[in-house]
């Protein structure tokens, strides 16, 4: 699933960004992704020290479940007809 989502996001960027800015847009997305990975690793280390690894894994699993339900609800919502 991860590869398909990545490809869909990349295709969306390629169709929405102007061709002369596509390299900058792609570089910005990659930079933000790497920064989020670093911030997540640092934050998870601090939270694991504070609350314990088991509690952190349980909380993150619950958060993923809630995000999946929210995405499912948003994707199932009817799209309003355009005028």
């Amino acid at each position: 699933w991860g590869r398909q989502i990545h490809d869909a996001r990349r295709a969306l960027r390629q169709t929405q960004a102007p061709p002369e800015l596509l390299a900058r847009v792609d570089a910005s997305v990659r930079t933000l992704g790497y920064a989020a990975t670093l911030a997540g690793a640092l934050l998870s280390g601090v939270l694991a020290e504070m609350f314990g690894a088991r509690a952190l894994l349980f909380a993150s699993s619950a958060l993923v479940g809630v995000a999946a339900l929210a995405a499912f609800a948003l994707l199932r919502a009817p799209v309003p007809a355009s005028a």
Side-chain angles (χ1 to χ4, degrees), residues 15-53:
T15 59
Q16 298 300 314
E20 63 274 7
L21 295 178
L22 190 56
R24 290 182 184 182
V25 170
D26 194 40
S28 299
V29 168
R30 286 178 186 246
T31 301
L32 290 172
Y34 291 143
T37 301
L38 176 62
L42 293 173
L43 182 63
S44 65
V46 170
L47 291 175
E49 285 292 321
M50 291 173 60
F51 301 108

Side-chain angles (χ1 to χ4, degrees), residues 48 51-61:
F51 301 108
R54 184 175 298 215
L56 183 62
L57 287 172
F58 179 75
S60 64
S61 298

